[in-house]
Amino acid sequence: MTYSELDSMLRRTCKTDDEEEKDRILAPFDECINYIQFANDECDYGMGFELGMCVFSHETSKSFMGTIRSLLPMAYKLLKRQLYAQIMTRICDEEDEKIAKNE
């Protein structure tokens, strides 16, 4: 998946309210996350880190905090960067609090 495909996928997902449409749009993304789990099992931790950073730095990142929370802290832990994992977890917690206040 290229960055431009990921960008398009994330944007289209945020523009629709139909859950079935979101699932259809995100199917390749979900498949990529499954591949990342296999890669982690094979000690290739960069895939999860790279996808997590791409989603985190995307303008729609607030809509994907759950995905970011599952990818980045795990990648940092596997890369033996515990402090960064804690920082990323804290960032996700703070974003969740902001979202909860606005609802």
Side-chain angles (χ1 to χ4, degrees), residues 20-90:
E20 289 181 16
E21 179 70 8
K22 285 182 182 184
D23 290 343
R24 188 188 65 72
I25 294 169
L26 288 176
F29 183 72
D30 292 338
E31 183 178 16
C32 189
I33 290 175
N34 285 336
Y35 291 144
I36 287 170
Q37 291 170 344
F38 292 131
N40 286 344
D41 290 344
E42 297 297 321
C43 300
D44 180 3
Y45 311 132
M47 289 178 65
F49 178 76
E50 184 175 359
L51 182 61
M53 288 304 292
C54 286
V55 176
F56 179 71
S57 62
H58 196 269
E59 64 187 81
T60 62
S61 66
K62 289 179 182 21
S63 300
F64 296 95
M65 272 300 140
T67 301
I68 294 166
R69 181 185 300 277
S70 69
L71 289 173
L72 278 178
M74 176 60 70
Y76 280 125
K77 287 175 186 174
L78 293 171
L79 292 166
K80 297 182 178 18
R81 302 292 190 263
Q82 189 63 32
L83 179 61
Y84 293 110
Q86 291 171 356
I87 291 169
M88 186 52 60
T89 300
R90 179 64 189 256

